[in-house]
Amino acid sequence: MLEDVDEPWSTDFGAVDYIKLAEAFGFQTARITSEDDIETALTAAINHQGASFIEMMVPSQDKIVPFVPNWVRSAKQKPALFRIGQVTGWL
């Protein structure tokens, strides 16, 4: 059912401070918490001679209302696998 779907999904791994973890490995770090932070963080990472780690904070999918991902629209466009009185296959 998820064929041809390449939409990103977020995963909540709990209370992990990825910035501190990246800093422990010697990365330059930045945390993006709003759209206003994007250009500054990317410019600094591009201009930095070493490795950079950028964490972008996004809302959890259960906080996005209404939650209607693209695969729902895609599934509605494909012919049904089962119909009353007959069985059909995906095209």
Side-chain angles (χ1 to χ4, degrees), residues 3-4 7 19 23 34-35 42 48 51 53 66 68 73 80:
E3 184 178 304
D4 299 323
E7 290 297 314
I19 293 291
E23 288 172 348
S34 74
E35 189 176 334
L42 291 178
H48 182 64
F53 176 87
V68 183
R73 287 188 295 277

Side-chain angles (χ1 to χ4, degrees), residues 26-87:
F27 285 71
Q28 171 182 282
T29 62
R31 178 176 284 131
I32 296 174
T33 57
S34 74
E35 189 176 334
D36 296 334
D37 300 335
I38 295 173
E39 186 175 345
T40 302
L42 291 178
T43 300
I46 290 168
N47 292 329
H48 182 64
Q49 294 300 310
S52 296
F53 176 87
I54 300 172
E55 179 180 48
M56 180 178 283
M57 309 307 290
V58 296
S60 175
Q61 288 195 356
D62 64 340
K63 305 291 187 235
I64 300 172
V65 178
F67 177 64
V68 183
N70 287 338
W71 61 265
V72 171
R73 287 188 295 277
S74 177
K76 287 180 180 178
Q77 292 173 357
K78 292 184 179 182
L81 182 57
F82 297 102
R83 293 195 179 141
I84 297 174
Q86 69 182 59
V87 177

